[in-house]
Amino acid sequence: MLPTDTDHNLCHTTDAQSPPADATRESKRRKLKANMGKDLTADQKALVKMYVTREEAEGVVKCCYCDKEITSRNVDRWASHLRGCFKTPEDVKAQIQPHREGAAASAPSAPARSVPQTVESDAQTTDAAAAPSALPVVAPATRLPPTPNPMGNGYNEVFKVHVSKDYMKFNAAHFIAYKGFREKLHGHNYRLAVTITGQVGPDGYVVDFGEIKKISRVICKDLNESFLVPMNSDALKFSFDDTNVHILTEDNAKFSFPKADCSLLPIVHSSAEELAIYISNQLIDAFTLDALLERGVRKLEVSISEATQQFASYERTILA
């Protein structure tokens, strides 16, 4: 029996209402793309660039907080690293969160203002009823506040400058010794990093990068290719002659090094921690305490690494 016109039309309509699988997938992709978050705004990207260090010559980008290299050249990737870094302050993470499409819609609406009641005539009431209803007020998209000017009044901004160059390093031998323990003689390829916290001065600097690099280079040169002697040790005995430094340990091991090959340091142990303290003092002596206070420097942090991802940091508050 042949189908009637009604049956034929019904069958045809049903086929038309079932889109092909490819069209369904394409529709889902469009919806997914529409729901994806927007990129960072220009203001946010400018903030992100403030929290990374870029070495133009080496093409290296590093996080200002954990000093980890970020291999990507994409600013959004830098922001992603900063948001995931456990050392990044929470207020910084909040400032560089990407905006979403629905951010404006989900924002709480402003409370309605009370309107004073007035006596209206019948004509006014009729006109108001006939007038089209007012369009809903759409809250403006959330925008970051402008970056405050640290030189202006009313702000308590703090800035950090961080320097870690390839030439800020020294190779040295040492061993840790304390009561009842002594390491074997060995050495490290030490690396130095300096972070200074303070306010921006009239010249636009916290401290000139060039000054930090110049002083750090001299400190590293003095320690390079030497044996680190902890002169305040309570577990080692020292004696000197015209040419050599002699060291006697608790286990009666004897060492003798040429004076020219030794760095005699006012520390108890030649650990990375105490080296950081020593170098911190050297930096302050070179800058002078008065000059740092005059510039508004608040903190000085020195990091000494013995190997990749293995370092000790010493932070010192600058007080008058």
Side-chain angles (χ1 to χ4, degrees):
M1 178 179 178
L2 294 174
T4 63
D5 291 343
T6 303
D7 293 336
H8 176 73
N9 291 338
L10 179 60
C11 181
H12 181 74
T13 303
T14 303
D15 291 341
Q17 291 176 346
S18 300
D22 291 342
T24 302
R25 285 194 294 270
E26 180 62 27
S27 176
K28 288 182 179 179
R29 280 196 293 268
R30 285 198 298 268
K31 289 181 180 179
L32 180 61
K33 185 176 181 180
N35 291 330
M36 289 176 63
K38 293 183 177 179
D39 291 337
L40 297 175
T41 65
D43 289 340
Q44 287 178 308
K45 289 183 178 181
L47 283 174
V48 169
K49 292 177 182 179
M50 292 174 57
Y51 299 123
V52 297
T53 59
R54 286 174 288 175
E55 303 295 343
E56 299 296 341
E58 295 88 351
V60 175
V61 178
K62 290 185 178 181
C63 173
C64 280
Y65 296 102
C66 68
D67 199 35
K68 182 177 179 181
E69 182 177 343
I70 307 172
T71 56
S72 175
R73 296 294 180 267
N74 187 287
V75 178
D76 292 314
R77 182 65 186 86
W78 302 349
S80 177
H81 170 86
L82 287 166
R83 290 194 297 270
C85 177
F86 71 96
K87 288 190 176 182
T88 305
E90 292 301 323
D91 58 334
V92 173
K93 292 181 180 180
Q95 290 177 354
I96 58 176
Q97 288 293 336
H99 292 299
R100 302 292 176 184
E101 292 282 357
S106 61
S109 58
R113 292 180 296 175
S114 59
V115 180
Q117 296 182 354
T118 57
V119 179
E120 298 179 348
S121 64
D122 292 341
Q124 290 174 329
T125 304
T126 304
D127 292 340
S133 58
L135 293 175
V137 178
V138 179
T142 304
R143 296 184 61 186
L144 285 175
T147 304
N149 179 3
M151 305 303 296
N153 295 325
Y155 294 106
N156 187 26
E157 293 290 330
V158 175
F159 285 81
K160 291 184 178 181
V161 293
H162 177 84
V163 178
S164 177
K165 305 291 289 184
D166 285 341
Y167 52 74
M168 290 171 59
K169 62 183 179 181
F170 56 95
N171 307 321
H174 82 133
F175 58 82
I176 300 292
Y178 52 83
K179 293 293 185 180
F181 173 81
R182 177 181 68 84
E183 285 183 320
K184 288 186 176 181
L185 179 65
H186 64 283
H188 296 287
N189 297 322
Y190 293 95
R191 286 188 173 273
L192 168 65
V194 178
T195 303
I196 296 180
T197 303
Q199 297 175 331
V200 174
D203 54 4
Y205 298 147
V206 176
V207 174
D208 188 351
F209 285 131
E211 290 298 315
I212 300 174
K213 291 187 286 188
K214 181 172 66 176
I215 296 171
S216 298
R217 189 193 289 265
V218 172
I219 294 172
C220 290
K221 183 178 179 181
D222 289 343
L223 296 173
N224 191 42
E225 296 181 347
S226 68
F227 176 72
L228 306 178
V229 184
M231 293 300 297
N232 295 335
S233 172
D234 57 356
L236 302 174
K237 294 181 179 180
F238 305 102
S239 60
F240 304 87
D241 58 29
D242 292 339
T243 58
N244 280 34
V245 177
H246 306 284
I247 304 174
L248 177 64
T249 68
E250 282 189 327
D251 59 354
N252 290 320
K254 296 179 180 179
F255 297 88
S256 182
F257 299 97
K259 284 183 179 179
D261 293 347
C262 293
S263 293
L264 307 181
L265 306 178
I267 56 179
V268 180
H269 311 93
S270 55
S271 62
E273 291 85 347
E274 293 195 34
L275 284 174
I277 296 173
Y278 167 75
I279 293 176
S280 174
N281 291 332
Q282 293 291 300
L283 285 164
I284 291 175
D285 288 345
F287 277 112
T288 75
L289 182 60
D290 289 341
L292 292 175
L293 289 171
E294 185 177 350
R295 291 203 64 89
V297 171
R298 300 181 183 181
K299 292 181 181 178
L300 171 67
E301 181 179 348
V302 172
S303 296
I304 297 292
S305 66
E306 296 181 338
T308 303
Q309 300 299 318
Q310 178 179 318
F311 63 91
S313 294
Y314 171 67
E315 184 179 276
R316 178 172 177 177
T317 301
I318 306 298
L319 300 174

